[in-house]
Amino acid sequence: MAGKGGFSSLEECLDKYIPPEELAEVKRILYGREKEQTIALSEETLKIAKLNDFEVKGYRFGAEKEHLRSPRIVRVAAVQNSIVTETTAPVDVQRNAIYSKIEKIIAAAAASGVNILCLQEAWTMPFAFCTREKTPWCEFAESAEAGSSTKFLQPLAKQHNMVIISPILERDHEHGEVLWNTAVVISNAGKVIGKHRKNHIPRVGDFNESTYYMEGNTGHPVFETAFGRIAINICYGRHHPQNWMMFGINGAEIVFNPSATVGALSEPLWAIEARNAAIANSYYTVAINRVGTEEFPNAFTSGDKKPPHRDFGAFYGSSYATAPDGARTPGLSRHRDGLLITEMDLNLCRQVKDWWGFRLTQRLPLYAEALTEASKLDYKPQIVKE
């Protein structure tokens, strides 16, 4: 379904109802440029998308030509998708059905020369953390380095010469088999470069994920890949500016935000947060949300005084990318599986730093001192009274 009133995306609504003579100015104000710059996608990409009923869009961000550096062009893909089977199906059936879907989308991305691809949060499973039940959902947890999904993706990454970011439910076999919400980074040679665990864990209504895992312990790693320096700010971390900032301080050029969030909870925030982060930190951001409504066998409550229910609403997709100058792509559909391919010139990161001077003027020592004081138990806010 297309949501309320057939509402598929904000962009389609603007194109439909804003007079053509005003639309360019509206887009300039809302999206940072008068008209999106599209890229030609291969016939194979379009064929795969049509056969498997998912949306595919392609855009580009350029940069000024430099005298001493060649353009650093990279193609990045974001994948948003619904689950395939009923949540009552056996775990391996659910997981393998998603594998089959994702393999086709990855092939479509590869056919248009994608270098780095990021999947959505906990892509191998339904987003069952709202239920607070341990079985069978904990069975989806796996080793980041040697689990089923990593083994599935490694040959695809090598075959397509593509870096793949795989956000999963991790089981840490070396430390008591505890669970983590983790993104695994697989290189274009098919090797695991490393992993990052979600820094901020929500305790908001349905999304009380501390039933399963706690805040991560991997800091703010930036992964040096063959195609640029990347980082992953997993879902709820997008609400924390300091989280975005640290990935920038550590040298990220592209920060992915694989997420799982529903309309009633966060949609008014969605288009703002990853875009703000790109502006504030002079890097590219890619915001990814899943689609569909996932129904579970047992009813659960959400701490909102409403009756028990078996789903927590529709994930609204709308995945998009933002450049460091604040320009952003249109979003994917609010309800369809989709592949967003964005061509980026990474030289723009430095160019924007030079132009706006946000790094030059950020005054880290000032805030380091202030935050150190604010973290003390005897801290007194700096409030001036008459």
Side-chain angles (χ1 to χ4, degrees):
M1 59 182 294
K4 294 181 179 179
F7 186 58
S8 178
S9 72
L10 178 61
E11 291 75 28
E12 287 187 13
C13 188
L14 292 174
D15 290 342
K16 183 176 181 180
Y17 293 108
I18 301 295
E21 62 272 16
E22 297 176 4
L23 183 60
E25 185 67 0
V26 168
K27 288 189 173 182
R28 183 189 68 82
I29 295 169
L30 286 181
Y31 292 152
R33 51 187 180 181
E34 294 182 358
K35 183 176 175 57
E36 58 270 9
Q37 299 176 21
T38 60
I39 57 174
L41 301 175
S42 75
E43 289 298 322
E44 181 67 13
T45 295
L46 300 176
K47 177 182 176 181
I48 295 171
K50 184 177 181 179
L51 286 174
N52 296 281
D53 191 29
F54 62 85
E55 178 185 30
V56 60
K57 291 185 176 181
Y59 303 99
R60 67 177 295 271
F61 295 116
E64 287 192 29
K65 185 177 180 180
E66 298 186 15
H67 294 276
L68 301 179
R69 292 194 303 175
S70 299
R72 299 177 60 220
I73 306 298
V74 59
R75 284 197 174 185
V76 170
V79 178
Q80 65 177 42
N81 62 275
S82 58
I83 60 173
V84 181
T85 68
E86 300 293 331
T87 59
T88 51
V91 167
D92 60 333
V93 172
Q94 293 188 57
R95 184 188 63 192
N96 292 340
I98 294 175
Y99 285 2
S100 179
K101 173 185 280 195
I102 291 302
E103 185 170 13
K104 297 178 180 68
I105 298 177
I106 290 175
S112 283
V114 164
N115 306 117
I116 306 171
L117 178 142
C118 186
L119 299 166
Q120 66 195 21
E121 184 184 21
W123 71 273
T124 63
M125 61 182 291
F127 205 78
F129 311 127
C130 58
T131 68
R132 301 186 294 279
E133 294 185 0
K134 297 304 179 74
T135 58
W137 317 122
C138 289
E139 292 188 52
F140 283 95
E142 57 182 305
S143 164
E145 294 77 15
S148 170
S149 64
T150 299
K151 290 180 178 179
F152 164 70
L153 291 172
Q154 283 179 304
L156 295 177
K158 185 175 182 179
Q159 174 189 348
H160 298 308
N161 191 33
M162 180 190 298
V163 173
I164 299 179
I165 301 167
S166 173
I168 63 168
L169 181 62
E170 178 194 5
R171 186 175 294 280
D172 187 353
H173 293 283
E174 295 183 355
H175 298 91
E177 298 197 358
V178 298
L179 305 183
W180 303 96
N181 187 317
T182 300
V184 184
V185 181
I186 302 170
S187 78
N188 57 312
K191 299 179 180 179
V192 175
I193 300 177
K195 63 188 176 186
H196 173 56
R197 292 167 174 161
K198 188 172 180 175
N199 277 331
H200 298 275
I201 305 301
R203 294 161 178 85
V204 182
D206 292 320
F207 295 84
N208 187 347
E209 298 169 25
S210 58
T211 304
Y212 299 86
Y213 42 76
M214 299 300 288
E215 285 75 11
N217 58 3
T218 52
H220 295 85
V222 171
F223 300 93
E224 185 84 52
T225 77
F227 307 109
R229 296 189 301 274
I230 65 173
I232 309 99
N233 181 359
I234 303 173
C235 197
Y236 194 69
R238 73 181 180 276
H239 304 309
H240 296 270
Q242 299 88 349
N243 206 41
W244 290 107
M245 179 183 71
M246 286 305 303
F247 292 119
I249 286 174
N250 285 336
E253 295 171 305
I254 311 169
V255 180
F256 296 86
N257 177 228
S259 298
T261 184
V262 295
L265 182 68
S266 67
E267 196 164 10
L269 308 178
W270 179 252
I272 301 170
E273 290 171 308
R275 190 179 184 195
N276 281 349
I279 296 166
N281 297 288
S282 304
Y283 51 47
Y284 289 93
T285 60
V286 183
I288 307 162
N289 187 28
R290 63 172 64 196
V291 291
T293 300
E294 301 173 359
E295 187 170 314
F296 297 92
N298 299 316
F300 51 91
T301 58
S302 303
D304 58 3
K305 300 181 181 180
K306 294 182 180 180
H309 44 276
R310 286 186 168 81
D311 71 76
F312 43 92
F315 296 106
Y316 53 81
S318 306
S319 302
Y320 69 97
T322 302
D325 62 2
R328 56 154 288 182
T329 70
L332 290 178
S333 167
R334 295 173 72 247
H335 64 94
R336 290 185 66 196
D337 289 355
L339 171 66
L340 174 69
I341 299 175
T342 308
E343 184 175 285
M344 306 171 175
D345 186 342
L346 299 184
N347 282 352
L348 186 61
C349 296
R350 180 193 289 179
Q351 291 175 10
V352 170
K353 289 175 187 176
D354 289 346
W355 175 255
W356 281 108
F358 292 152
R359 291 296 185 88
L360 177 71
T361 59
Q362 66 183 345
R363 302 194 65 191
L364 288 181
L366 171 69
Y367 293 103
E369 180 181 349
L371 290 171
T372 298
E373 292 302 312
S375 66
K376 296 178 180 178
L377 291 176
D378 61 352
Y379 176 71
K380 302 296 181 183
Q382 188 179 358
I383 299 173
V384 180
K385 300 180 180 179
E386 184 179 0

